[in-house]
Amino acid sequence: MSCTGSYDWNFTQGEDAILQITYKDSAGSPIDNSGYTARCQGRESYKASTTLFDATTANGQIVLGGADGAITITIPSTVTALISAPLSGVWDIELVTGSGIVKNLLGGSLKIHPEVTK
């Protein structure tokens, strides 16, 4: 999927929650994200002080693809298993350029379904 501003992310507690997106310009061409970092958080609400997950390029849960604009977010099963489900919340992802400019790319509602198989 390309970055369009809003995406409702649904996944199941206890699974590896993987979201792949492509950073594109208004003409649909990939934007090179080489030299950028990224951060993504999920929370129960916009005002919640604690996070459900905290993915970054630094902790390896976000991988940037460089010239092809690819962004892969992976919230490991060890993290999603700890989230009480069912749960509704919010999430977003930001890119940070090498010069420190922050761009909010995508976000939306978050729905985490309970797992059956444990």
Side-chain angles (χ1 to χ4, degrees), residues 1-117:
M1 82 171 290
S2 63
C3 299
T4 58
S6 181
Y7 179 75
D8 298 332
W9 194 2
N10 295 283
F11 58 85
T12 301
Q13 170 192 49
E15 77 174 352
D16 291 314
I18 301 169
L19 181 62
Q20 296 176 316
I21 58 179
T22 303
Y23 185 29
K24 295 181 180 181
D25 63 21
S26 60
S29 300
I31 297 174
D32 188 346
N33 56 35
S34 299
Y36 288 35
T37 59
R39 54 192 181 214
C40 172
Q41 292 183 339
R43 296 176 186 267
E44 287 192 53
S45 72
Y46 290 103
K47 293 183 178 185
S49 59
T50 58
T51 60
L52 300 168
F53 58 82
D54 188 8
T56 65
T57 46
N59 69 15
Q61 293 177 12
I62 301 176
V63 176
L64 303 178
D68 66 3
I71 301 167
T72 302
I73 306 165
T74 304
I75 311 303
S77 60
T78 54
V79 173
T80 67
L82 300 175
I83 299 171
S84 295
L87 183 136
S88 293
V90 293
W91 77 281
D92 71 6
I93 181 171
E94 298 176 335
L95 281 183
V96 183
T97 67
S99 61
I101 297 171
V102 177
K103 169 74 174 165
N104 186 292
L105 288 185
L106 195 61
S109 70
L110 178 66
K111 292 197 185 219
I112 304 168
H113 306 280
E115 67 180 324
V116 175
T117 304

